[in-house]
Amino acid sequence: MSARENTETLDWRDGVPISRAFDDPYYSLQDGLAETHHVFLAGNDLPARFQAGFHVAELGFGTGLNCAATLQAWREDGAEGPLRYTSFEAFPLTPDAMACALAAFPALGQAAEDVVAAVADDGPADLHLTVVEGDARGTLSAWADRADAWFLDGFAPARNSALWAPELLNEVARHTAPGGTFATYTAAGQVRRDLAEAGFVVERVAGYGRKRHMTRGRLA
């Protein structure tokens, strides 16, 4: 298990947490919540695809922002049963650090509090959250489940190439349910080619904010 980061090992820029390990923000400096809605929810055709038993998987749990936004969308959609959410994270933040970061998004309301509680093993009944700690290059291959939608949200490929390695993206495809999808903020050409090689039909679409493009796809 990797050593935990905490608030003392993070830098903050205009209220946004910055990873010292990768010198990269955990979410958009413009509006992290709007970015999550554009890239990860809309990019996976959510909430339209929500149904009982729906399973989201993620590379890079970070502050829990994507999870909180997804849980809020799940509730607003009136989806049946609990949301299943599995995230692979090598450098997990403490619940206190997550709460501090999520406080920047009051629109998340109770969903943010519930995600922080779930990380501390005291979450709500409508969220089945599992954060798998460690290097995803090892932990994902050992995972026995498959996701309906993937959020590929590691730090930028130029700063954290390990989380975008072709072998890992092959594992993402192998752990995707038939007809499953992915979305990511990056439009890096090598990432797109590797995802296509892994078995996804890949599409470059309009990105959020200053990012002209992002990438989404569906398992062929």
Side-chain angles (χ1 to χ4, degrees):
M1 183 180 298
S2 300
R4 284 184 176 273
E5 286 193 350
N6 53 45
T7 50
E8 284 75 31
T9 62
L10 295 174
D11 290 323
W12 296 80
R13 186 183 307 158
D14 297 328
V16 176
I18 309 295
S19 167
R20 286 188 180 176
F22 299 104
D23 190 27
D24 211 21
Y26 276 85
Y27 43 75
S28 171
L29 295 172
Q30 293 176 266
D31 187 333
L33 182 56
E35 179 186 44
T36 290
H37 280 282
H38 179 87
V39 174
F40 298 109
L41 293 178
N44 280 289
D45 297 321
L46 302 177
R49 294 174 54 222
F50 282 154
Q51 59 182 333
F54 197 85
H55 197 159
V56 174
E58 176 181 52
L59 294 183
F61 188 68
T63 64
L65 174 59
N66 294 339
C67 184
T70 305
L71 177 60
Q72 184 178 61
W74 180 266
R75 289 171 172 173
E76 291 175 350
D77 188 64
E80 182 181 349
L83 169 66
R84 302 166 66 206
Y85 198 105
T86 301
S87 190
F88 298 83
E89 175 59 63
F91 301 99
L93 300 177
T94 64
D96 285 346
M98 291 181 194
C100 185
L102 293 175
F105 305 104
L108 286 172
Q110 188 64 41
E113 296 181 23
D114 287 342
V115 167
V116 174
V119 170
D121 297 322
D122 189 28
D126 62 351
L127 173 63
H128 287 182
L129 172 64
T130 302
V131 179
V132 182
E133 298 184 19
D135 190 327
R137 291 173 294 179
T139 57
L140 178 52
S141 62
W143 190 44
D145 216 330
R146 294 189 294 181
D148 299 293
W150 275 95
F151 298 173
L152 305 183
D153 197 23
F155 291 113
R159 299 180 184 273
N160 185 20
S161 59
L163 212 57
W164 305 93
E167 298 80 8
L168 184 55
L169 298 181
N170 283 334
E171 289 296 330
V172 167
R174 192 169 72 85
H175 290 86
T176 301
T181 61
F182 80 85
T184 179
Y185 65 88
T186 184
Q190 189 61 55
V191 171
R192 298 200 315 272
R193 290 188 292 272
D194 290 339
L195 284 162
E197 184 67 23
F200 289 101
V201 176
V202 175
E203 180 182 13
R204 188 177 72 166
V205 296
Y208 172 77
R210 297 189 183 95
K211 294 183 182 292
R212 293 181 58 193
H213 300 108
M214 56 169 275
T215 308
R216 55 179 285 177
R218 184 176 297 273
L219 192 65

